[in-house]
Amino acid sequence: QQPLVASGGGSVQAGGSLRLSCPASAYMHGARCMGWFRQGPENRDKVAVATISNYRAPWYADSVKGRFTISLDNSKDTLYLQMNSLKPEDTAIYYCAADGEWDPFAGTCVSLRSWGQGTQVTVSS
């Protein structure tokens, strides 16, 4: 299957914006449960940031609600993460993931099977 490759990271000052992209044509079918995760400099684990699935409202971590927006562009078969009002604590490697399952109890995608290489986001104060 097509490897997932996240792009669009960079270095910005606090309050700035970035848009991450992840071409995902191989995963634009069925339930299309996909999402963005991040691994901060102090964390060993990847933490869910936002997920999206067909016919369901997107899910966001509390720390990014109101600032980040996840979207799927069907015409370009691409997953996006628009990040506004960035904070230093958003500094992390961001990964896109796909081929997951919707968990109705958690209200988000889980058990994502395909992961891409990450893109670094650095926010300075």
Short mmCIF file of all heavy atoms in Angstrom, two decimals, residues 23-53:
data_model
loop_
_atom_site.label_atom_id
_atom_site.label_comp_id
_atom_site.label_asym_id
_atom_site.label_seq_id
_atom_site.Cartn_x
_atom_site.Cartn_y
_atom_site.Cartn_z
N PRO A 23 -0.91 12.75 1.91
CA PRO A 23 -1.58 12.05 0.82
C PRO A 23 -1.95 10.64 1.23
O PRO A 23 -1.11 9.92 1.78
CB PRO A 23 -0.53 12.06 -0.30
CG PRO A 23 0.37 13.19 0.04
CD PRO A 23 0.41 13.23 1.53
N ALA A 24 -3.18 10.25 0.98
CA ALA A 24 -3.63 8.95 1.51
C ALA A 24 -4.61 8.29 0.56
O ALA A 24 -5.65 7.78 0.99
CB ALA A 24 -4.27 9.16 2.88
N SER A 25 -4.31 8.25 -0.72
CA SER A 25 -5.25 7.72 -1.70
C SER A 25 -5.60 6.26 -1.43
O SER A 25 -6.72 5.83 -1.71
CB SER A 25 -4.68 7.87 -3.11
OG SER A 25 -3.45 7.19 -3.24
N ALA A 26 -4.66 5.49 -0.90
CA ALA A 26 -4.92 4.07 -0.65
C ALA A 26 -5.92 3.84 0.47
O ALA A 26 -6.41 2.72 0.64
CB ALA A 26 -3.61 3.35 -0.34
N TYR A 27 -6.22 4.88 1.21
CA TYR A 27 -7.07 4.72 2.39
C TYR A 27 -8.38 5.48 2.28
O TYR A 27 -9.14 5.54 3.25
CB TYR A 27 -6.31 5.19 3.63
CG TYR A 27 -4.99 4.47 3.79
CD1 TYR A 27 -3.81 5.04 3.33
CD2 TYR A 27 -4.93 3.21 4.36
CE1 TYR A 27 -2.60 4.38 3.45
CE2 TYR A 27 -3.73 2.54 4.48
CZ TYR A 27 -2.57 3.12 4.02
OH TYR A 27 -1.38 2.46 4.14
N MET A 28 -8.64 6.05 1.11
CA MET A 28 -9.85 6.87 0.93
C MET A 28 -11.02 5.99 0.50
O MET A 28 -11.64 6.21 -0.53
CB MET A 28 -9.58 7.96 -0.11
CG MET A 28 -8.42 8.86 0.23
SD MET A 28 -8.67 9.84 1.70
CE MET A 28 -9.65 11.17 1.03
N HIS A 29 -11.34 5.02 1.30
CA HIS A 29 -12.44 4.12 0.99
C HIS A 29 -13.04 3.64 2.29
O HIS A 29 -12.45 3.77 3.36
CB HIS A 29 -11.95 2.91 0.17
CG HIS A 29 -10.86 2.14 0.86
ND1 HIS A 29 -11.11 1.22 1.85
CD2 HIS A 29 -9.52 2.17 0.72
CE1 HIS A 29 -9.96 0.71 2.28
NE2 HIS A 29 -8.99 1.28 1.61
N GLY A 30 -14.22 3.10 2.20
CA GLY A 30 -14.85 2.54 3.39
C GLY A 30 -15.06 3.60 4.46
O GLY A 30 -15.42 4.73 4.18
N ALA A 31 -14.80 3.23 5.67
CA ALA A 31 -15.03 4.13 6.80
C ALA A 31 -14.01 5.25 6.85
O ALA A 31 -14.24 6.28 7.47
CB ALA A 31 -14.99 3.34 8.10
N ARG A 32 -12.85 5.06 6.25
CA ARG A 32 -11.79 6.07 6.18
C ARG A 32 -11.49 6.67 7.54
O ARG A 32 -11.52 7.88 7.73
CB ARG A 32 -12.17 7.17 5.17
CG ARG A 32 -12.32 6.67 3.76
CD ARG A 32 -12.41 7.79 2.77
NE ARG A 32 -13.60 8.58 2.94
CZ ARG A 32 -13.88 9.64 2.20
NH1 ARG A 32 -13.08 10.02 1.23
NH2 ARG A 32 -14.98 10.32 2.42
N CYS A 33 -11.24 5.82 8.49
CA CYS A 33 -10.89 6.29 9.83
C CYS A 33 -9.42 6.65 9.83
O CYS A 33 -8.55 5.79 9.68
CB CYS A 33 -11.19 5.19 10.85
SG CYS A 33 -11.86 5.80 12.41
N MET A 34 -9.13 7.95 10.00
CA MET A 34 -7.77 8.44 9.88
C MET A 34 -7.52 9.48 10.96
O MET A 34 -8.46 9.99 11.58
CB MET A 34 -7.56 9.07 8.50
CG MET A 34 -7.98 8.17 7.34
SD MET A 34 -8.00 9.02 5.77
CE MET A 34 -6.25 9.16 5.51
N GLY A 35 -6.25 9.82 11.14
CA GLY A 35 -6.00 10.81 12.16
C GLY A 35 -4.58 11.31 12.21
O GLY A 35 -3.71 10.86 11.46
N TRP A 36 -4.38 12.28 13.08
CA TRP A 36 -3.06 12.86 13.34
C TRP A 36 -2.68 12.59 14.79
O TRP A 36 -3.52 12.72 15.69
CB TRP A 36 -3.09 14.36 13.09
CG TRP A 36 -3.20 14.74 11.65
CD1 TRP A 36 -4.34 15.02 10.96
CD2 TRP A 36 -2.13 14.85 10.71
NE1 TRP A 36 -4.04 15.30 9.64
CE2 TRP A 36 -2.69 15.21 9.48
CE3 TRP A 36 -0.75 14.68 10.80
CZ2 TRP A 36 -1.92 15.40 8.32
CZ3 TRP A 36 0.02 14.88 9.66
CH2 TRP A 36 -0.57 15.23 8.44
N PHE A 37 -1.42 12.27 14.98
CA PHE A 37 -0.87 11.99 16.31
C PHE A 37 0.43 12.77 16.45
O PHE A 37 1.01 13.21 15.46
CB PHE A 37 -0.60 10.48 16.46
CG PHE A 37 -1.84 9.64 16.44
CD1 PHE A 37 -2.56 9.45 15.26
CD2 PHE A 37 -2.31 9.06 17.60
CE1 PHE A 37 -3.71 8.69 15.24
CE2 PHE A 37 -3.46 8.28 17.59
CZ PHE A 37 -4.16 8.11 16.41
N ARG A 38 0.87 12.94 17.67
CA ARG A 38 2.13 13.63 17.87
C ARG A 38 2.92 13.01 19.01
O ARG A 38 2.36 12.43 19.93
CB ARG A 38 1.92 15.13 18.11
CG ARG A 38 1.22 15.49 19.42
CD ARG A 38 0.93 16.99 19.45
NE ARG A 38 0.28 17.40 20.68
CZ ARG A 38 -0.19 18.62 20.90
NH1 ARG A 38 -0.10 19.56 19.96
NH2 ARG A 38 -0.79 18.93 22.06
N GLN A 39 4.23 13.17 18.89
CA GLN A 39 5.15 12.67 19.90
C GLN A 39 6.03 13.82 20.32
O GLN A 39 6.89 14.28 19.55
CB GLN A 39 5.98 11.52 19.34
CG GLN A 39 6.87 10.84 20.34
CD GLN A 39 7.56 9.64 19.73
OE1 GLN A 39 7.79 9.56 18.52
NE2 GLN A 39 7.89 8.66 20.56
N GLY A 40 5.82 14.31 21.53
CA GLY A 40 6.59 15.43 22.03
C GLY A 40 7.98 15.01 22.48
O GLY A 40 8.26 13.82 22.61
N PRO A 41 8.85 15.97 22.73
CA PRO A 41 10.25 15.66 23.11
C PRO A 41 10.36 14.88 24.41
O PRO A 41 11.35 14.20 24.64
CB PRO A 41 10.91 17.04 23.20
CG PRO A 41 9.79 18.01 23.32
CD PRO A 41 8.62 17.41 22.64
N GLU A 42 9.36 14.97 25.28
CA GLU A 42 9.42 14.27 26.56
C GLU A 42 8.60 12.98 26.58
O GLU A 42 8.57 12.28 27.59
CB GLU A 42 8.90 15.20 27.67
CG GLU A 42 9.64 16.51 27.77
CD GLU A 42 11.11 16.33 28.11
OE1 GLU A 42 11.43 15.36 28.84
OE2 GLU A 42 11.93 17.14 27.65
N ASN A 43 7.93 12.69 25.47
CA ASN A 43 7.03 11.54 25.46
C ASN A 43 7.60 10.40 24.62
O ASN A 43 8.12 10.63 23.53
CB ASN A 43 5.66 11.94 24.90
CG ASN A 43 4.97 12.97 25.76
OD1 ASN A 43 5.14 13.00 26.96
ND2 ASN A 43 4.19 13.83 25.13
N ARG A 44 7.41 9.21 25.10
CA ARG A 44 7.81 8.04 24.32
C ARG A 44 6.69 7.58 23.41
O ARG A 44 6.92 6.94 22.41
CB ARG A 44 8.21 6.91 25.25
CG ARG A 44 9.48 7.14 26.02
CD ARG A 44 9.89 5.90 26.76
NE ARG A 44 8.88 5.47 27.71
CZ ARG A 44 8.96 4.33 28.40
NH1 ARG A 44 9.97 3.53 28.23
NH2 ARG A 44 8.02 4.01 29.26
N ASP A 45 5.45 7.93 23.79
CA ASP A 45 4.29 7.46 23.04
C ASP A 45 3.74 8.54 22.14
O ASP A 45 3.88 9.74 22.42
CB ASP A 45 3.18 7.01 24.00
CG ASP A 45 3.59 5.84 24.86
OD1 ASP A 45 4.35 4.98 24.34
OD2 ASP A 45 3.16 5.78 26.02
N LYS A 46 3.07 8.09 21.08
CA LYS A 46 2.36 9.02 20.21
C LYS A 46 0.98 9.27 20.82
O LYS A 46 0.29 8.34 21.21
CB LYS A 46 2.23 8.43 18.81
CG LYS A 46 3.56 8.19 18.08
CD LYS A 46 3.30 7.62 16.70
CE LYS A 46 4.60 7.36 15.96
NZ LYS A 46 5.36 6.24 16.51
N VAL A 47 0.60 10.52 20.84
CA VAL A 47 -0.66 10.93 21.45
C VAL A 47 -1.61 11.41 20.36
O VAL A 47 -1.19 12.15 19.46
CB VAL A 47 -0.42 12.05 22.48
CG1 VAL A 47 -1.74 12.53 23.06
CG2 VAL A 47 0.50 11.58 23.58
N ALA A 48 -2.86 10.99 20.43
CA ALA A 48 -3.84 11.41 19.43
C ALA A 48 -4.11 12.90 19.52
O ALA A 48 -4.29 13.45 20.61
CB ALA A 48 -5.13 10.62 19.62
N VAL A 49 -4.14 13.54 18.36
CA VAL A 49 -4.41 14.97 18.26
C VAL A 49 -5.80 15.20 17.69
O VAL A 49 -6.59 15.97 18.22
CB VAL A 49 -3.36 15.66 17.38
CG1 VAL A 49 -3.72 17.12 17.18
CG2 VAL A 49 -1.97 15.51 17.98
N ALA A 50 -6.10 14.51 16.58
CA ALA A 50 -7.40 14.66 15.92
C ALA A 50 -7.63 13.45 15.03
O ALA A 50 -6.70 12.92 14.44
CB ALA A 50 -7.45 15.94 15.09
N THR A 51 -8.90 13.02 14.95
CA THR A 51 -9.24 11.92 14.06
C THR A 51 -10.50 12.27 13.29
O THR A 51 -11.28 13.14 13.71
CB THR A 51 -9.46 10.60 14.82
OG1 THR A 51 -10.59 10.74 15.70
CG2 THR A 51 -8.23 10.21 15.63
N ILE A 52 -10.69 11.55 12.17
CA ILE A 52 -11.83 11.83 11.32
C ILE A 52 -12.29 10.55 10.67
O ILE A 52 -11.48 9.68 10.35
CB ILE A 52 -11.47 12.91 10.26
CG1 ILE A 52 -12.71 13.40 9.53
CG2 ILE A 52 -10.43 12.37 9.28
CD1 ILE A 52 -12.44 14.66 8.69
N SER A 53 -13.60 10.42 10.48
CA SER A 53 -14.16 9.24 9.85
C SER A 53 -15.42 9.65 9.09
O SER A 53 -16.04 10.66 9.42
CB SER A 53 -14.50 8.18 10.90
OG SER A 53 -15.05 7.03 10.30
#
